[in-house]
Amino acid sequence: MQKQVITILETSDIHGHVLPLHYGLNQEMEVGVAKVASLIKKVRAEGKNTILIDNGDVIQGSPLAYYCARIGTTAPNPMVKILDTLGYDAAVLGNHEFNYGQQTLDQVVRDSSFPWLSANVLAKETGEPLYGQPYIIREYEHGLRVGVLGITTQYIPHWEDPKHIEKMDFADPVTTAKKWVTYLREIEQVDLVVVSYHGGLERDIESGEALEPLTGENQGYQICEEVAGIDVLLTGHQHRDLIARTANDVLVVQPGNNGRFLAKITVTLDQSEGRWKVTGKEGELLAVEGVPVDAEIVSLIQPYEEATQTWLDQPIGVIEGDMLVRDPMEIRTKKHAMIQFINRVQMDAAGVDIASTSLFDNYAPGFPNAVTMRDIVANYIYPNTLKVLRLSGQDIKDALEHSASYFAPYNGENIEVNPKFLYPKPEHYNYDMWDGIEYRIDISRPIGERITRLSYHGSPLQMDGQYDVVMNNYRASGGGNYHMFQGKQVVREVPTEMSELIVEYITRTGTVKAEVEENWSLIHD
């Protein structure tokens, strides 16, 4: 009897992180593909039959990635060069691969010596996979065949700038998986099927209970439950650290984000009567903590890194007063000058007097008195543009109630975050704070009934009134389960990215005063 072992290595949601560095704070962090590379080389040295897959969201998410996509565009994308250097077998299109537009994505694909997979991202004109390759097959000794199918979350049209995806359709991942897994099994005659899905699991692995609204964004559980013939499901998008077995004995893994882990799956197959059968599969997450960086990757990234650091250190302007972030939770419970400033930039760019924004994560440092480009990209980490929506007063109230659900029912002692905004991944960016209206949140009241005061220019907000509101394009499309914004009239679009708008505003103003107008408050009994 023949026996073979296949090792599958997965990265996902690297988000442009190469060196172990937090760019905003300019401090070391235990992240980055330079550390992951050391683990990849170590695993490969220990055995043969290794397949290396990136599961998406690799070209966007760090100042390095932004600089290379938007500023230093003459050189090949460094993330592609790194994946090529490490000998990746394939990469899957993640939702953030589309953030810089199709022209940039097309160039990334052209510069890659490995294929980009996504069976359900289709060219609108032909109905075929966008870059022509839904899967790869690897052949090993004694006729063993392994198929890897790539699939992308179908929810991208709810977030992405329509101009970036106007030539694409996004098919249902479950239907797509059924079609291609069957094809791999029956036509390609593969012995091991791996599905690499840039999406997560919307249900608890053990109980099947919904962890989030079943919108179609994270259909990993459904894929395992409804698609026969899958041995391993590589996942991402939710930034979870996950190894589990789910329906139909599918081994599911997810290696966190920013290059914190390398997922390693070991599959054992035995051959009997001319056919291979999976007899064992195990998964583990190899942490980069304490792992040295790989010298080859550090050398490769150095010229890109030096150019990025020079760009980040450009002086932009001056803040008079305090816009530093010391306690993220305090900012979300009490009006803060930095949030008011971001909203003012949005209102200035759009020519309206109502705006909303969020504190994207708990690492935002705020703005010091001497502002550089580093401070801007550290605080505004996404390549968002702006849209002005015409909303009813009821739409605004519904949005505020959704934001107010960020807080858990008040326990009489501490203000806490609703677990639904923390699991399966942190979603602090889905709590919005508004300027241009006056409102009060009472977290002692039930979710959905927490907005107790709501006015505009001192008069009650009219539920059937019409108001123009500026927000980022992600939120304007309904991202973050703000369904009340979907399908609303777009009065105006501001195509310039917010980081550029902030730079322009500070440069034009010269000295920006840190101001706080107490237009909203949070209370509890």
Side-chain angles (χ1 to χ4, degrees):
M1 179 183 293
Q2 299 289 343
K3 181 186 294 289
Q4 291 210 59
V5 176
I6 304 295
T7 301
I8 304 154
L9 301 178
E10 178 207 7
T11 54
S12 190
D13 299 271
I14 289 174
H15 286 293
H17 287 79
V18 181
L19 300 179
L21 179 67
H22 185 294
Y23 283 91
L25 304 175
N26 216 11
Q27 296 176 355
E28 286 193 11
M29 289 186 72
E30 293 284 4
V31 298
V33 73
K35 284 174 167 277
V36 173
S38 297
L39 293 172
I40 290 170
K41 292 181 178 181
K42 181 176 184 293
V43 172
R44 280 178 169 160
E46 293 170 349
K48 55 182 182 179
N49 298 351
T50 301
I51 301 173
L52 177 58
I53 303 293
D54 183 79
N55 191 54
D57 282 4
V58 66
I59 68 169
Q60 179 277 340
S62 71
L64 170 74
Y66 182 89
Y67 175 83
C68 294
R70 284 286 188 256
I71 313 298
T73 57
T74 56
N77 189 286
M79 304 312 297
V80 168
K81 291 183 69 174
I82 288 171
L83 268 59
D84 272 336
T85 299
L86 292 173
Y88 273 71
D89 291 273
V92 175
L93 294 172
N95 55 294
H96 285 290
E97 259 67 67
F98 301 89
N99 285 172
Y100 298 124
Q102 188 166 354
Q103 183 176 351
T104 297
L105 180 54
D106 287 348
Q107 187 62 53
V108 163
V109 173
R110 283 195 297 269
D111 290 344
S112 304
S113 60
F114 55 87
W116 286 80
L117 310 179
S118 189
N120 69 313
V121 180
L122 309 177
K124 193 182 291 287
E125 190 173 304
T126 65
E128 297 297 320
L130 181 64
Y131 294 111
Q133 195 161 344
Y135 62 84
I136 60 169
I137 292 177
R138 292 292 178 264
E139 297 189 18
Y140 300 98
E141 295 176 348
H142 309 292
L144 175 61
R145 289 166 61 82
V146 179
V148 181
L149 174 68
I151 301 178
T152 303
T153 175
Q154 67 170 330
Y155 214 62
I156 290 170
H158 291 270
W159 312 307
E160 193 52 69
D161 185 331
K163 292 188 291 292
H164 292 172
I165 56 174
E166 60 186 357
K167 297 180 181 179
M168 308 172 202
D169 287 323
F170 295 83
D172 174 57
V174 180
T175 303
T176 301
K178 288 178 181 178
K179 170 186 173 180
W180 288 106
V181 170
T182 300
Y183 187 90
L184 286 169
R185 288 289 186 187
E186 296 182 0
I187 307 301
E188 293 284 9
Q189 294 287 297
V190 300
D191 305 289
L192 174 65
V193 172
V194 178
V195 174
S196 188
Y197 168 52
H198 188 84
L201 285 83
E202 71 284 33
R203 294 184 179 274
D204 180 82
I205 291 290
E206 295 182 359
S207 67
E209 180 182 353
L211 297 172
E212 57 187 49
L214 303 182
T215 60
E217 178 180 350
N218 294 298
Q219 295 171 276
Y221 189 95
Q222 188 182 359
I223 290 172
C224 294
E225 190 174 43
E226 297 184 17
V227 182
I230 300 173
D231 296 297
V232 176
L233 181 68
L234 311 179
T235 65
H237 186 57
Q238 292 174 311
H239 299 182
R240 298 172 68 184
D241 315 335
L242 174 68
I243 299 173
R245 287 180 186 260
T246 185
N248 296 316
D249 195 38
V250 179
L251 179 63
V252 181
V253 298
Q254 191 171 146
N257 65 307
N258 297 351
R260 294 186 294 114
F261 294 96
L262 173 68
K264 177 185 177 185
I265 302 95
T266 304
V267 182
T268 303
L269 300 99
D270 291 341
Q271 189 181 47
S272 178
E273 298 180 353
R275 295 188 61 84
W276 288 96
K277 181 180 180 181
V278 174
T279 55
K281 48 188 175 183
E282 297 179 355
E284 57 182 317
L285 298 180
L286 307 179
V288 303
E289 186 173 356
V291 174
V293 295
D294 178 76
E296 182 180 23
I297 299 303
V298 172
S299 176
L300 185 157
I301 202 64
Q302 203 58 44
Y304 296 92
E305 180 67 20
E306 289 175 0
T308 301
Q309 290 293 345
T310 298
W311 173 67
L312 287 172
D313 286 334
Q314 291 180 71
I316 302 299
V318 175
I319 301 292
E320 183 182 297
D322 188 1
M323 280 195 197
L324 293 176
V325 175
R326 296 177 178 83
D327 181 348
M329 191 62 164
E330 183 179 7
I331 287 179
R332 297 183 181 109
T333 58
K334 184 179 180 182
K335 187 68 181 291
H336 190 274
M338 190 189 82
I339 298 299
Q340 180 166 308
F341 168 65
I342 297 296
N343 274 333
R344 288 290 169 83
V345 172
Q346 295 186 143
M347 290 189 285
D348 177 79
V352 298
D353 64 354
I354 305 177
S356 69
T357 191
S358 63
L359 185 67
F360 291 135
D361 60 33
N362 288 342
Y363 296 103
F367 292 102
N369 295 123
V371 180
T372 65
M373 197 69 211
R374 184 184 307 278
D375 304 308
I376 297 202
V377 298
N379 288 287
Y380 209 99
I381 59 178
Y382 299 114
N384 290 335
T385 57
L386 299 178
K387 289 187 177 183
V388 176
L389 299 187
R390 183 152 294 163
L391 303 175
S392 69
Q394 187 65 57
D395 294 329
I396 293 173
K397 184 176 186 302
D398 290 344
L400 289 169
E401 290 287 5
H402 182 63
S403 277
S405 70
Y406 174 82
F407 301 101
Y410 185 57
N411 60 17
E413 297 181 3
N414 302 311
I415 300 175
E416 297 179 343
V417 179
N418 185 335
K420 290 185 177 181
F421 284 78
L422 296 175
Y423 307 104
K425 73 172 181 178
E427 295 183 356
H428 302 295
Y429 52 84
N430 283 332
Y431 169 70
D432 288 344
M433 292 159 280
W434 293 58
D435 274 279
I437 57 174
E438 303 83 40
Y439 61 98
R440 185 168 70 185
I441 303 171
D442 185 349
I443 63 171
S444 65
R445 294 175 61 86
I447 288 175
E449 302 175 14
R450 290 178 163 181
I451 304 303
T452 57
R453 291 183 182 175
L454 180 54
S455 61
Y456 173 64
H457 291 179
S459 299
L461 198 76
Q462 300 301 308
M463 292 299 98
D464 58 354
Q466 296 292 302
Y467 304 89
D468 290 351
V469 182
V470 62
M471 61 190 73
N472 67 58
N473 62 293
Y474 169 78
R475 185 68 79 238
S477 65
N481 297 314
Y482 283 79
H483 304 300
M484 68 292 298
F485 296 155
Q486 291 177 345
K488 298 300 168 150
Q489 180 184 352
V490 178
V491 178
R492 188 175 305 114
E493 293 190 45
V494 182
T496 306
E497 292 179 11
M498 263 300 289
S499 58
E500 296 178 45
L501 292 173
I502 295 170
V503 169
E504 191 276 332
Y505 186 94
I506 295 176
T507 302
R508 169 164 45 93
T509 307
T511 297
V512 175
K513 291 185 178 181
E515 298 176 328
V516 175
E517 295 179 3
E518 304 285 356
N519 66 299
W520 66 269
S521 61
L522 184 145
I523 65 170
H524 51 75
D525 291 339

